[in-house]
Amino acid sequence: MPNAVAIELDRRHGDTFTCLDVVKGNVRLYLSSEETLAHIQIKMEAVSKSTLVVPKHRKGRDKPNSKKTVSESHKLLYVTQILFPPEDVRNLDSKGTGKDGFTLAPGQYYYPFEFRIPINNRCLQSSSFLSKFSFSEGVDFSKDPRQHITTTLPPSLSDMDEATIKYFFKVTVKRAAFYRINMRQYNPFIFLPFEPPRPVMTGQQFFVRRKHRFNYTPVTGRTGGSVQSQKKKGFFSSLTSTSRSLTFLRQAGPEFYVEARMPDPPIVVPTEQIPLRLFIRSDEQCTTPIYLHSLQINLISHTLVAAQEHNKDIAFALTVVNLQNMKLPMGAMTNPAPTVYEAEFNLNKWPNAFLPNSVPPTFKTCNIARRYSMEIFMVISHGPTGDADTVALAFDINVYSGISPPEPLLHAIKEARQQAAVPNPYQIGPAAKHTPSTAITNENGTHRLSGPSPSPPADSLPTYDEAIASKVMPVSGPRRNFEQSANYYANMDDIDRDEK
């Protein structure tokens, strides 16, 4: 068996990690022969990579419609530990003992490690020469990102080709001889951040409504009774006939509103029931019930991807509810206010209305941002067999991770800020060495992500240093199994173009 190295993570609490988790594991090293090593290093990293295919703009040098690939990478998290040699050995006197490496006999070695995942990102400038190039379609020089924002660490992301966010551990066994290839191994892990502190529930409802009116077409016939078989008449006899035909007149029905309601603000957590209620609202009592025949709910993800001076807003629709042949009548009408009548459709008829556990929460980081909206399509009729019309509603929502910050953390940080007058950690100051920027507008008038972000409210999530100082225990409650695609675990060398 050849020499090998592996990372073994303690996953007793599942495959999904969150802020302030203490991640423990072992680096297992197997040596089939004697080896002289400089050190063994373990890293916990997060990389946000954006890639766009854009037109070339070199006049007279490029073919028409020629394209190039541009990319941008941000190291959102970078924490390291030296596992071997031990610290007391590394701190030997200046006589040079150990400068030629440390020799290990053949055998199997275990090196335990422990990291605590922070809350906020800390962008690290790339030091690798290879990280400045993209090899997708020819060699393309990639500029170092100079615009950064400080926010809560974003979730793992692997549901699209243009944007990827990966979290992983990486071990490097550095050999003492510079001409020998170092041993290296990765172990990706899935990250789901704390959700923002939720506002106090007041019972207020968010709603979106659309006005609608049914139009009717009566059946063609004769006045004064049923239609009977008649002989063919001449032109002049038809002029003197007393019977008249009905025309295809469009008659307007009563006016009403189709309304969707959710608790304010509208928040959805994957795998939990979407708190959606559907109403018919009118200024007068409806004598004929309105029927719901089909219901479709789509989640629209809007991903803003920025790479160098380019950006693109990418939308994708995911159908989460598709019910047909419902023939569901509206409920009994109530009169909650003068001249206001409303009836609700039975929400128990769509019990499986929830987002899948692969949906990331709403987030924003240096080069990628994700927001969501919801579309609702309802096919309704006036009565069970009336003409059916389609009514569409659309509105923005927030998707949350479902992992609430621990109350002791929020309480401790609030007290610490009041006593020490700690400035807002989200404000990027000179100490953070983050370059302030101005918005860059492309030909479509959209703006890239970078630039000073608005200050969050006073109860926003604290910085990593604040959280560590507060000595708050990690979250022990349940967390969802945040699924990722197979691409999340592949091509690790491509996203981690670090020093080799």
Side-chain angles (χ1 to χ4, degrees):
M1 179 179 176
N3 295 345
V5 64
I7 303 172
E8 300 171 346
L9 290 182
D10 182 356
R11 300 180 184 268
R12 70 182 66 183
H13 298 299
D15 293 329
T16 303
F17 296 88
T18 189
C19 305
L20 299 185
D21 273 353
V22 176
V23 186
K24 298 180 180 180
N26 288 286
V27 168
R28 178 170 54 85
L29 176 64
Y30 174 80
L31 297 179
S32 60
S33 59
E34 186 178 87
E35 283 283 355
T36 301
L37 307 179
H39 64 253
I40 301 175
Q41 185 183 52
I42 182 78
K43 302 177 184 179
M44 180 174 65
E45 300 187 47
V47 177
S48 171
K49 182 178 181 180
S50 52
T51 304
L52 294 175
V53 178
V54 299
K56 292 183 179 179
H57 295 294
R58 299 182 300 179
K59 293 183 179 180
R61 300 178 59 187
D62 298 316
K63 296 179 180 180
N65 301 322
S66 60
K67 304 287 186 179
K68 66 176 182 178
T69 300
V70 296
S71 63
E72 184 172 314
S73 294
H74 291 255
K75 280 190 180 293
L76 307 177
L77 174 63
Y78 189 86
V79 187
T80 68
Q81 286 183 20
I82 298 295
L83 303 180
F84 176 84
E87 185 176 0
D88 55 346
V89 178
R90 297 198 304 268
N91 296 331
L92 293 174
D93 57 20
S94 58
K95 293 181 180 180
T97 306
K99 67 177 182 179
D100 296 325
F102 304 88
T103 302
L104 292 178
Q108 192 161 244
Y109 299 86
Y110 288 88
Y111 301 97
F113 65 86
E114 178 179 309
F115 288 97
R116 195 175 198 193
I117 302 177
I119 294 177
N120 293 340
N121 70 296
R122 288 185 175 183
C123 275
L124 178 73
Q125 191 75 16
S126 175
S127 60
S128 172
F129 181 72
L130 290 176
S131 67
K132 303 177 187 298
F133 291 88
S134 173
F135 300 91
S136 306
E137 296 180 7
V139 179
D140 175 44
F141 187 76
S142 177
K143 301 176 183 176
D144 284 331
R146 290 179 292 178
Q147 291 130 354
H148 305 282
I149 60 174
T150 302
T151 61
T152 302
L153 282 169
S156 298
L157 184 68
S158 61
D159 59 0
M160 58 191 304
D161 296 332
E162 296 85 353
T164 304
I165 301 176
K166 291 186 178 183
Y167 289 80
F168 55 91
F169 289 96
K170 174 185 174 183
V171 62
T172 302
V173 180
K174 184 174 177 61
R175 290 184 165 101
F178 72 91
Y179 53 84
R180 298 196 61 190
I181 298 176
N182 299 326
M183 287 188 285
R184 187 175 290 104
Q185 190 58 260
Y186 296 91
N187 193 335
F189 67 96
I190 299 173
F191 177 77
L192 193 60
F194 286 161
E195 62 183 28
R198 298 199 186 196
V200 179
M201 299 301 295
T202 61
Q204 294 184 342
Q205 294 285 303
F206 165 88
F207 70 91
V208 58
R209 64 168 66 116
R210 182 179 293 274
K211 185 185 296 186
H212 191 73
R213 185 194 297 269
F214 289 111
N215 292 321
Y216 307 97
T217 303
V219 179
T220 304
R222 298 279 184 181
T223 58
S226 61
V227 181
Q228 298 179 355
S229 176
Q230 298 182 10
K231 294 181 179 180
K232 185 177 180 180
K233 296 183 179 180
F235 175 73
F236 291 101
S237 62
S238 64
L239 292 178
T240 58
S241 175
T242 58
S243 62
R244 294 176 297 173
S245 298
L246 291 174
T247 58
F248 286 90
L249 296 176
R250 299 289 289 177
Q251 298 178 357
E255 186 177 81
F256 61 94
Y257 293 91
V258 178
E259 185 173 291
R261 298 180 192 172
M262 293 181 67
D264 188 30
I267 296 173
V268 179
V269 176
T271 72
E272 294 184 8
Q273 178 81 16
I274 299 175
L276 175 69
R277 302 170 65 191
L278 301 175
F279 288 82
I280 297 296
R281 188 179 178 94
S282 177
D283 296 335
E284 57 186 26
Q285 183 83 26
C286 292
T287 56
T288 303
I290 294 174
Y291 278 70
L292 177 63
H293 292 271
S294 70
L295 173 65
Q296 180 173 322
I297 302 177
N298 295 335
L299 177 72
I300 312 298
S301 62
H302 306 268
T303 309
L304 183 57
V305 181
Q308 300 182 28
E309 69 274 14
H310 305 276
N311 60 79
K312 185 177 182 180
D313 198 342
I314 303 171
F316 177 78
L318 174 66
T319 299
V320 296
V321 173
N322 188 9
L323 300 175
Q324 304 293 327
N325 303 317
M326 299 176 67
K327 294 184 179 180
L328 176 65
M330 66 183 189
M333 296 211 78
T334 60
N335 185 211
T339 69
V340 175
Y341 298 87
E342 65 181 29
E344 182 177 3
F345 289 104
N346 185 359
L347 56 83
N348 293 324
K349 297 300 181 180
W350 48 91
N352 296 324
F354 55 82
L355 306 183
N357 56 14
S358 59
V359 175
T362 304
F363 72 90
K364 178 179 180 181
T365 191
C366 303
N367 57 333
I368 305 170
R370 172 70 65 88
R371 63 181 179 87
Y372 294 95
S373 60
M374 187 169 284
E375 292 179 340
I376 301 175
F377 296 95
M378 305 169 61
V379 177
I380 58 176
S381 67
H382 202 186
T385 59
D387 293 340
D389 291 348
T390 300
V391 179
L393 302 172
F395 52 93
D396 293 334
I397 64 169
N398 289 314
V399 176
Y400 276 16
S401 68
I403 305 177
S404 301
E407 286 297 329
L409 171 65
L410 298 178
H411 180 71
I413 298 306
K414 186 177 180 180
E415 285 189 349
R417 289 179 182 169
Q418 289 176 347
Q419 295 175 4
V422 178
N424 193 317
Y426 283 84
Q427 294 177 348
I428 305 173
K433 297 183 180 179
H434 287 179
T435 305
S437 62
T438 56
I440 302 175
T441 306
N442 66 5
E443 59 273 13
N444 298 324
T446 58
H447 299 276
R448 77 174 269 129
L449 300 176
S450 60
S453 56
S455 299
D459 59 352
S460 297
L461 294 177
T463 64
Y464 180 50
D465 293 335
E466 290 175 313
I468 296 300
S470 66
K471 298 181 180 179
V472 174
M473 297 296 293
V475 176
S476 58
R479 61 193 68 173
R480 62 185 172 100
N481 182 22
F482 184 28
E483 292 183 355
Q484 299 296 311
S485 70
N487 293 332
Y488 187 79
Y489 305 93
N491 303 320
M492 296 303 300
D493 283 321
D494 181 63
I495 198 169
D496 180 43
R497 286 184 179 152
D498 199 354
E499 62 275 1
K500 296 299 182 183

